[in-house]
Amino acid sequence: MNAADDKTIVKEYFNSTGFDRWRRIYGDGEVNKVQLDIRNGHQQTVDKVLGWLKADDNLADLSICDAGCGVGSLSIPLAEAGAKVYASDISEKMVEEGKQRASLTLKNPENLTFAVQDLETLSGSYHTVICLDVLIHYPQEKADAMISHLCSLAQSRIILSFAPKTCALTILKKIGSFFPGPSKATRAYLHREADVVKILEKNGFVVQRQSMTRTRFYFSRLLEANRK
Ligand code: SAM
């Protein structure tokens, strides 16, 4: 399968069965145990990013690009905390849901702009570029190109998360218990941290903060890298 196929499949998935599944996981309604585990794991990643950015105490001065924003799980609280957020996603259904959630909860909607756009075609310049749990849908070569493009949009900082290619996860993936259930409709790619760091460095960024979220079914390595 080539990278274009991956992208088409991912887009179709997040506009159909994937939308229903992830809208529920990223919501607060009833879900099954696996989905609840993924929901909790993902929330830890979101909370970690919010914690880092709030600790810096300058959110009101920042422009943030949230590439592959999903239903706005990170974009909405970032906008609420004062940042100017440009949220975009390849799936119009996810963006529609994000807009809906923002309209119900956000008291300062002027801080948040949504767009339906794949991150490869994003342009502009933002203080911080964030891309959470998106690279898992793409093989390394494609992920490299995506990271490089995102770096070109970042004036100062990039924050990425990916499923790390560790021995344990590789085995879990082989026996099929990694991202079980309908999400198997898309492939899950693991990435070597060294490969991600190398591509960040090639683009002039150096890792400053890092974190790992690991629950039973959710694994996400989080890196914050700053321009050298
Ligand atoms: N970043 C969000 C979060 O953490 O809540 C959503 C994560 S969800 C697992 C992955 C999202 O990436 C989906 O909403 C999907 O539509 C989006 N996506 C996948 N490929 C993309 C691409 N090439 N450009 C933009 N968005 C993409």
Side-chain angles (χ1 to χ4, degrees):
M1 187 174 13
N2 65 36
D5 293 335
D6 274 309
K7 193 158 135 181
T8 309
I9 289 166
V10 169
K11 181 175 175 174
E12 281 168 7
Y13 171 71
F14 278 103
N15 272 326
S16 56
T17 51
F19 169 68
D20 290 328
R21 174 180 165 81
W22 290 97
R23 178 178 54 89
R24 267 186 282 116
I25 291 176
Y26 294 156
D28 53 15
E30 208 170 302
V31 285
N32 68 37
K33 277 191 184 148
V34 172
Q35 293 171 336
L36 184 61
D37 177 88
I38 297 172
R39 175 190 285 171
N40 292 337
H42 173 258
Q43 191 59 47
Q44 287 179 41
T45 300
V46 168
D47 288 344
K48 177 60 76 172
V49 176
L50 286 172
W52 284 348
L53 270 55
K54 284 183 178 171
D56 292 344
D57 204 19
N58 60 351
L59 267 175
D61 304 327
L62 302 189
S63 59
I64 297 180
C65 165
D66 184 9
C69 63
V71 296
S73 311
L74 178 67
S75 290
I76 295 171
L78 280 177
E80 198 164 40
K84 286 266 178 290
V85 183
Y86 302 87
S88 54
D89 197 284
I90 198 170
S91 157
E92 60 235 49
K93 296 279 271 184
M94 295 295 268
V95 168
E96 217 175 90
E97 175 75 15
K99 280 186 182 166
Q100 173 86 356
R101 290 185 185 194
S103 75
L104 292 174
T105 58
L106 197 59
K107 294 193 185 66
N108 51 349
E110 67 284 358
N111 273 15
L112 179 55
T113 310
F114 278 105
V116 179
Q117 201 172 344
D118 60 311
L119 65 87
E120 296 87 335
T121 62
L122 287 176
S123 58
S125 179
Y126 309 88
H127 175 280
T128 297
V129 174
I130 304 179
C131 185
L132 291 192
D133 295 358
V134 177
L135 298 173
I136 187 165
H137 301 297
Y138 297 95
Q140 186 61 42
E141 204 175 295
K142 172 79 175 137
D144 280 357
M146 293 167 98
I147 295 170
S148 293
H149 181 61
L150 292 174
C151 284
S152 77
L153 309 174
Q155 291 155 12
S156 183
R157 169 171 63 186
I158 178 159
I159 297 175
L160 297 174
S161 73
F162 57 94
K165 189 163 188 163
T166 56
C167 290
L169 263 193
T170 305
I171 292 165
L172 264 184
K173 187 166 148 42
K174 277 217 177 90
I175 59 175
S177 48
F178 177 60
F179 274 180
S183 67
K184 282 210 192 83
T186 60
R187 294 181 62 181
Y189 294 94
L190 307 180
H191 300 285
R192 266 194 206 90
E193 182 163 346
D195 293 337
V196 175
V197 170
K198 196 162 109 194
I199 200 79
L200 287 169
E201 285 182 348
K202 197 171 139 202
N203 284 281
F205 285 78
V206 60
V207 173
Q208 303 271 316
R209 288 186 278 203
Q210 48 205 279
S211 174
M212 177 73 208
T213 304
R214 190 185 289 109
T215 64
R216 261 193 92 186
F217 297 108
Y218 177 91
F219 305 83
S220 190
R221 180 75 171 144
L222 182 66
L223 300 180
E224 176 198 65
N226 286 62
R227 218 175 249 291
K228 281 185 228 166

